[in-house]
Amino acid sequence: MPLPQLTVYRHDRRKRALLTLSGEIDLESAPLVRTALDRCIGDGIRTIDVDLTPVTFCDCSGLNAFLHASQQTTVTGGTLRLHYPPPMLALLVDLAGCAFLLLGLPFGHLPPPFGLPRPRIQAEAGTEGAMADA
C-alpha cells in the first residue's frame, strides 16, 4: 500500500483551528483537504488557519478546495486564511485574483503580480531620499 502523499495535522483552540498540511495537493489528495476543512466547519470552527509551509506542490484542485472552504466558512460567519503557500499555489491565487479571499489582503491592495519585483517608492521627507520597498 503506497504512503499517502498528503498529511493533515489539526490543532483546535476553542472556535479556531490550525491545519498544517504536509506533502502534495493535487487531484488525488484534494478530497482529503476538502474533507478536513469541511470537518472543521462541521465541528463549529469559525477561524481556520492553514499552514502550507511543508506543502511541496499544490495545483488547481487544491485551490478549488480552498475556495470552496472559504465560501462555506464565510457562510457560517467565519474566516479561512492560507499561510505560506508554495510558489505554484501563490501563482494560481495571483492569476485567479483571489488573494483577498484566501490570504487576507484587503481588496484593491493586492501585491504586484507573482514573480515581478515590488515597485520602489520615494521614502518620506527627512530620510535623505532613501528608497524603501512598498
Side-chain angles (χ1 to χ4, degrees), residues 14-31:
R14 296 184 202 109
K15 298 283 183 186
R16 184 175 202 132
L18 171 64
L19 287 181
T20 301
L21 306 179
S22 179
E24 297 183 357
I25 305 171
D26 57 18
L27 186 59
E28 187 176 315
S29 60

Side-chain angles (χ1 to χ4, degrees), residues 111-128:
F114 181 78
L116 296 179
R118 290 180 169 257
R120 300 193 70 111
I121 59 170
Q122 191 69 27
E124 297 286 328
T127 59
E128 303 301 324

Side-chain angles (χ1 to χ4, degrees), residues 17 25 33 47 55 74 77 83 87 90 96 98 108 115 120:
I25 305 171
V33 174
T47 302
V55 170
T74 301
H83 302 277
C98 56
R120 300 193 70 111

Side-chain angles (χ1 to χ4, degrees), residues 8-81:
V8 179
Y9 303 95
R10 178 175 162 182
H11 177 74
D12 292 357
R13 178 176 266 174
R14 296 184 202 109
K15 298 283 183 186
R16 184 175 202 132
L18 171 64
L19 287 181
T20 301
L21 306 179
S22 179
E24 297 183 357
I25 305 171
D26 57 18
L27 186 59
E28 187 176 315
S29 60
L32 177 61
V33 174
R34 186 175 267 212
T35 299
L37 293 167
D38 286 346
R39 191 167 290 147
C40 285
I41 295 165
D43 290 345
I45 300 295
R46 295 298 168 252
T47 302
I48 304 171
D49 292 301
V50 182
D51 180 7
L52 298 167
T53 304
V55 170
T56 56
F57 176 81
C58 183
D59 66 10
C60 59
S61 302
L63 176 60
N64 185 26
F66 294 128
L67 288 171
H68 172 78
S70 177
Q71 180 184 28
Q72 296 304 316
T73 309
T74 301
V75 166
T76 63
T79 59
L80 175 126
R81 293 291 175 256

